[in-house]
Amino acid sequence: MTGRTILILIGVAVVLRVGQEIFVPLALSLLLAFTLAPIVSFLRKRSVPKIAAVLLAVVSAFCAIALFSVVVAMQVTNLAENIPTYQRNIVAKVHALAQAGSGNGVLDHLSRAVERVGAEIQTRAVESQNPSDTAPSVREPLPVEIVTRSDPLQTLGNLLLPLISPFATAGLVVVLVIFMLLEREELRDRFIRLVGLGDLHRTTAALQDAGKRVGKYLLMQLVVNTLYAVPISIGLWALGIPNAILWGLLTLVLRFVPYIGAVIGMILPLFLALAIAPGWSLVIWVGVLYLVTELVSNNVVEPWLYGAHTGLSPLAIIISAIFWSWLWGPLGLMLSTPLTVCLVVLGRHVPQFGFLDVLLGNEPVLEPHEKLYQRLLSGDPNEASDNAEEYLEEDYLVDYYDKVGMPALLLGESDRQRGVMTEAQIALVAASSLTLVENLSDIAVEEENEEEEPAENPSKSPTVAETDLPDGEGRSVLCIGGRGGLDDAAAAMLSQVLEVQGAVARTASHSDLVARGALALPLEGVDTVIVTFLNGNSKSRARQIVRRLKRLKPSLRVGILIPTANGQDFPRIEPLEIDADFISSSITQAAEFGLTPSAPVSVKVVARKIARKRSQPKVQSEVSASD
């Protein structure tokens, strides 16, 4: 993300903030159009005319919104009338808390504050009921207020203008939604002409993705919230909570606010339960009702209807809620998730805004082997082990090492060859890799003991069964790193796979091959040695090691593992070129070749010929001279 892009984003945010009165109705209309579009399409498929389908969908939606608003207003009015009757229970509960925590200054202050509020409410209530009884016996001077005559039209305007603005905005939204639905295809074509004529495929995919994600999210979220609010309302009514319909409707709306909406919707009924009942049992039952309903909704209803298909990460949802609420207030908070989904779709299909998908999306931004290498490079093998265990729930150890482990080490080897890694970093990656292999030893033991029958173990990938690795019973293999610590780590991975197959596998360090160190190698009882090179340009080094090992023990089979994973394809080396018994490009191949019995390849003897071409002319000249 360049500085120019950041300036553009800041400019867009400023424009959205300044033009709030214009962009809020547009955004609301667009999201409502996305929500109602599936309903219109459903009616159109039932042979309903286009205009009738749009009008039916829009009128039904806004009638439901109007009915919702009327019911909420009536319930709020009823609640306001009954508030003074709840103050006694609140005072009693605060007194009980104060007595339980005597000596606590905070509770004392809270108790006195509640008493003052209760006394004030009681006084106001008595005065409103019996104004004559509370009249003062001494006449006090009456306040005099100078009232200027105002224009009746101005007074009427002052009363009506605050009411006209919300209704005008609502009417504008209705009209915009109708025309957006009527001219949906026309707007789509104009958008393609404006931004995507050069790439119709990408633009069409972006529009379809945005419409599908936003429309499905809003519609299904409405269904989920309704299924959540209905049992809440019934449960609150059964528990005797006043205005149960109000709390159910508020819960329906507040659950559009990510994460905190459900909590806010629960606080008010809990406070009311605290106010109307003398004990604490009602508060507990209300809390249990919300908790059980939330668990059922999150774990049963939502996965059944739509699951988590917004494409946003949890952190992105929270950040977007903060941003849009700062930008447009409470309405922006409720619209934050669908608006952010549109941004993610934009970043997914427009390369210039790809950073939005990286920052806000829930798709992994690093490949598994890149993530593993990053963890190894930071010296965190424990998190790497946790990720590996998640991977191994569906795949076998050999698959993990071939698809993730070896490619991660190859990234390290590539950085080493480019000179961007210090010796300390190389040692850290190698040590972390060895720790990772050790942490996975329990899984290796489990795989070694299990019966490899894919039909009875469908949770695992059938890769190993299809490869049909030989049984290693009775085989003894020594795995050695070829040139450095990273090679040692690769050899440790291969050794663990061989142990899973039942072979006796041991490892040796690359330092054992330096100079005459090969004499110290534990070759007693070993029938096969496999030397690992992550650097594919190691032909000469491999030839020297193979010949040295075969001279130490002529009956030894020596193989070379040069992995070509992660797209790195080195010049092909033939086994006979370096006197090796086999050359493999993956851990699977190395295990297969290493555990397959075969006669060892003999070291070719190079006959050294004495060059005599230079001496022959000299002899001929001597003969001619003697003649």
Side-chain angles (χ1 to χ4, degrees):
M1 186 169 57
T2 62
R4 180 181 178 183
T5 305
I6 295 176
L7 292 177
I8 292 174
L9 292 177
I10 295 175
V12 170
V14 171
V15 171
L16 291 176
R17 182 67 182 270
V18 174
Q20 177 178 351
E21 296 182 357
I22 298 175
F23 292 109
V24 168
L26 284 175
L28 189 58
S29 303
L30 182 61
L31 295 178
L32 286 174
F34 275 127
T35 305
L36 298 177
I39 301 177
V40 174
S41 300
F42 175 81
L43 294 175
R44 293 282 291 147
K45 292 178 181 178
R46 269 56 181 182
S47 301
V48 178
K50 183 176 182 180
I51 297 179
V54 171
L55 292 177
L56 182 60
V58 173
V59 170
S60 301
F62 281 94
C63 284
I65 294 174
L67 179 61
F68 176 89
S69 303
V70 171
V71 173
V72 169
M74 294 174 60
Q75 292 286 315
V76 169
T77 303
N78 180 265
L79 178 65
E81 294 176 354
N82 296 328
I83 284 179
T85 63
Y86 304 144
Q87 57 92 16
R88 292 181 180 177
N89 291 325
I90 298 177
V91 172
K93 285 186 170 60
V94 173
H95 272 303
L97 290 175
Q99 292 175 1
S102 58
N104 192 328
V106 177
L107 292 178
D108 291 340
H109 286 297
L110 179 61
S111 176
R112 287 193 292 270
V114 172
E115 288 179 357
R116 288 194 298 270
V117 172
E120 182 68 21
I121 293 176
Q122 187 68 26
T123 302
R124 296 298 182 185
V126 172
E127 290 177 355
S128 62
Q129 294 175 2
N130 303 310
S132 60
D133 298 340
T134 58
S137 58
V138 181
R139 297 189 62 179
E140 297 179 357
L142 297 176
V144 178
E145 182 180 358
I146 300 175
V147 179
T148 59
R149 294 182 179 273
S150 59
D151 187 2
L153 293 178
Q154 183 180 359
T155 304
L156 183 62
N158 294 334
L159 293 175
L160 293 180
L161 285 179
L163 299 177
I164 290 176
S165 180
F167 285 103
T169 303
L172 179 61
V173 170
V174 173
V175 174
L176 284 174
V177 171
I178 292 175
F179 278 94
M180 284 181 180
L181 291 174
L182 286 176
E183 301 185 5
R184 184 172 50 171
E185 293 80 6
E186 182 70 19
L187 292 174
R188 178 198 60 199
D189 296 342
R190 291 181 182 277
F191 180 79
I192 292 175
R193 175 69 182 179
L194 182 64
V195 301
L197 190 61
D199 195 346
L200 289 174
H201 172 74
R202 176 175 292 173
T203 308
T204 303
L207 290 174
Q208 291 177 347
D209 193 9
K212 183 178 179 181
R213 284 179 181 269
V214 177
K216 186 175 182 180
Y217 167 75
L218 291 174
L219 191 58
M220 289 298 101
Q221 188 67 42
L222 178 61
V223 174
V224 169
N225 292 358
T226 303
L227 295 177
Y228 183 92
V230 169
I232 288 293
S233 300
I234 296 175
L236 292 177
W237 172 80
L239 292 173
I241 302 296
N243 307 102
I245 297 178
L246 172 64
W247 310 125
L249 293 177
L250 287 180
T251 301
L252 187 151
V253 175
L254 289 172
R255 284 194 93 248
F256 279 101
V257 179
Y259 297 112
I260 62 173
V263 177
I264 297 175
M266 179 181 64
I267 290 176
L268 294 177
L270 283 175
F271 183 78
L272 192 58
L274 181 70
I276 66 174
W280 298 91
S281 59
L282 186 59
V283 178
I284 297 174
W285 279 111
V286 172
V288 170
L289 173 65
Y290 273 91
L291 180 61
V292 172
T293 309
E294 185 72 23
L295 291 175
V296 173
S297 178
N298 290 339
N299 297 288
V300 178
V301 178
E302 291 186 10
W304 173 50
L305 286 177
Y306 69 95
H309 294 309
T310 59
L312 302 179
S313 65
L315 182 61
I317 293 176
I318 297 174
I319 294 176
S320 65
I322 297 173
F323 173 76
W324 289 108
S325 61
W326 166 79
L327 200 64
W328 289 345
L331 187 60
L333 179 62
M334 296 187 63
L335 301 179
S336 61
T337 300
L339 290 174
T340 309
V341 168
C342 295
L343 294 179
V344 170
V345 172
L346 179 67
R348 189 162 296 173
H349 296 282
V350 180
Q352 292 83 352
F353 297 96
F355 65 92
L356 292 174
D357 186 28
V358 174
L359 294 177
L360 304 175
N362 62 349
E363 297 294 332
V365 296
L366 293 178
E367 295 294 330
H369 67 278
E370 295 173 337
K371 190 173 182 179
L372 173 60
Y373 176 56
Q374 193 274 333
R375 290 293 84 203
L376 297 177
L377 192 60
S378 61
D380 189 1
N382 294 325
E383 184 178 345
S385 302
D386 294 338
N387 296 332
E389 290 174 0
E390 294 178 3
Y391 188 97
L392 292 171
E393 291 179 359
E394 298 181 357
D395 281 307
Y396 285 98
L397 199 61
V398 62
D399 302 315
Y400 175 76
Y401 284 148
D402 266 336
K403 298 175 183 177
V404 181
M406 281 296 184
L409 293 179
L410 284 172
L411 288 178
E413 176 63 23
S414 176
D415 287 344
R416 186 197 67 80
Q417 294 181 29
R418 292 189 298 115
V420 297
M421 292 181 67
T422 63
E423 293 297 329
Q425 289 177 319
I426 296 173
L428 179 61
V429 172
S432 301
S433 302
L434 294 176
T435 304
L436 169 66
V437 174
E438 183 179 354
N439 291 342
L440 298 180
S441 58
D442 293 338
I443 296 179
V445 173
E446 293 176 3
E447 291 189 6
E448 183 180 359
N449 295 332
E450 74 177 1
E451 294 181 2
E452 294 183 0
E453 296 181 3
E456 298 181 2
N457 189 14
S459 62
K460 292 274 190 173
S461 170
T463 305
V464 176
E466 292 177 353
T467 306
D468 194 17
L469 291 180
D471 185 10
E473 191 68 28
R475 308 292 299 177
S476 179
V477 184
L478 176 64
C479 301
I480 310 175
R483 307 186 68 156
L486 299 179
D487 297 333
D488 293 342
M493 294 179 182
L494 174 60
S495 175
Q496 194 171 68
V497 171
L498 295 173
E499 288 179 349
V500 171
Q501 296 306 117
V504 177
R506 289 175 285 180
T507 59
S509 172
H510 70 283
S511 58
D512 296 332
L513 295 172
V514 177
R516 298 184 176 274
L519 296 174
L521 290 173
L523 299 179
E524 185 67 27
V526 174
D527 52 63
T528 304
V529 174
I530 302 178
V531 186
T532 303
F533 291 96
L534 295 177
N535 185 353
N537 299 315
S538 302
K539 181 177 179 180
S540 300
R541 175 68 174 166
R543 182 189 298 113
Q544 296 174 5
I545 293 176
V546 170
R547 291 179 176 177
R548 184 183 304 172
L549 291 172
K550 284 185 173 291
R551 290 193 186 102
L552 290 173
K553 190 175 181 179
S555 62
L556 196 64
R557 296 175 65 245
V558 181
I560 302 296
L561 169 59
I562 302 182
T564 57
N566 199 28
Q568 298 189 22
D569 190 10
F570 299 108
R572 182 176 178 83
I573 303 175
E574 296 295 334
L576 294 179
E577 295 182 45
I578 58 175
D579 296 328
D581 292 87
F582 59 86
I583 294 180
S584 55
S585 59
S586 66
I587 288 184
T588 302
Q589 284 186 357
E592 182 180 2
F593 295 156
L595 299 178
T596 302
S598 62
V601 175
S602 301
V603 178
K604 293 183 295 184
V605 178
V606 180
R608 300 186 179 274
K609 298 181 180 180
I610 301 176
R612 296 181 178 179
K613 292 183 179 180
R614 293 183 179 179
S615 60
Q616 287 178 357
K618 183 177 180 180
V619 172
Q620 291 178 357
S621 61
E622 291 178 354
V623 172
S624 59
S626 61
D627 291 341

